[in-house]
Amino acid sequence: ATPLFLSAWNPTSAGVEAIEGEAFVANGEASKALRIGDELRSSDRLRVDEGGRVELLYADRTRVVLEAGAIATLADKPFGGAKRVRVERGELTASVSPQPAGAPMTFVTPHSEARVLGTELLLDVGQDATRLEVREGKVEFRR
């Protein structure tokens, strides 16, 4: 069981809704295979192996799908703040539910930052660049 103080300081960010292939989660030194139903917390680092795919679902029904080869870290702001995902590499798609005023969901890459209030998007992070494709809604995108 998770100690109460840990839950208060680092509440669940998202749950694992679906997995294809193999994917792993690490927090500090510990690493384990992801399974459907796992609850992820801020600072969890996800790695999706080639041929794999992971679908995350947040409590507000925001859905994030990490594709094969993706590496990302959940980095939510504490105390009910905005959702944040740091994407080191790879592709993800997201369907973001409307977010609270002043707390947009943010995707941070080595090259840029995308702030989302509620939209559908594709983010592809390569070694030298980040590509954003907005499928619906509006996204603030900057270096």
Side-chain angles (χ1 to χ4, degrees), residues 72-122:
T73 302
L74 302 182
D76 296 1
K77 292 190 175 179
F79 306 111
K83 295 178 202 60
R84 293 175 64 87
V85 179
R86 277 193 226 108
V87 187
E88 293 175 41
R89 75 164 194 235
E91 184 175 296
L92 70 77
T93 55
S95 179
V96 181
S97 298
Q99 299 299 291
M105 183 167 193
T106 305
F107 296 92
V108 180
T109 78
H111 324 102
S112 60
E113 182 176 290
R115 293 178 180 216
V116 183
L117 294 174
T119 193
E120 288 190 26
L121 61 87
L122 176 138

Side-chain angles (χ1 to χ4, degrees), residues 46-64:
L46 309 175
R47 186 186 88 231
V48 184
D49 283 356
E50 291 304 320
R53 184 175 195 259
V54 174
E55 189 171 322
L56 306 178
L57 187 64
Y58 288 80
D60 69 355
R61 309 306 291 165
T62 291
R63 188 173 303 278
V64 174

Side-chain angles (χ1 to χ4, degrees), residues 5-94:
F5 70 88
L6 179 62
S7 295
W9 287 99
N10 194 4
T12 300
S13 288
V16 178
E17 185 79 358
I19 297 175
E20 293 174 17
E22 289 193 335
F24 300 87
V25 60
N27 195 319
E29 296 295 316
S31 179
K32 70 171 194 124
L34 270 179
R35 305 222 183 285
I36 293 172
D38 281 354
E39 292 184 350
L40 303 174
R41 299 183 185 283
S42 187
S43 77
D44 282 349
R45 184 173 186 256
L46 309 175
R47 186 186 88 231
V48 184
D49 283 356
E50 291 304 320
R53 184 175 195 259
V54 174
E55 189 171 322
L56 306 178
L57 187 64
Y58 288 80
D60 69 355
R61 309 306 291 165
T62 291
R63 188 173 303 278
V64 174
V65 179
L66 299 166
E67 300 294 342
I71 297 176
T73 302
L74 302 182
D76 296 1
K77 292 190 175 179
F79 306 111
K83 295 178 202 60
R84 293 175 64 87
V85 179
R86 277 193 226 108
V87 187
E88 293 175 41
R89 75 164 194 235
E91 184 175 296
L92 70 77
T93 55

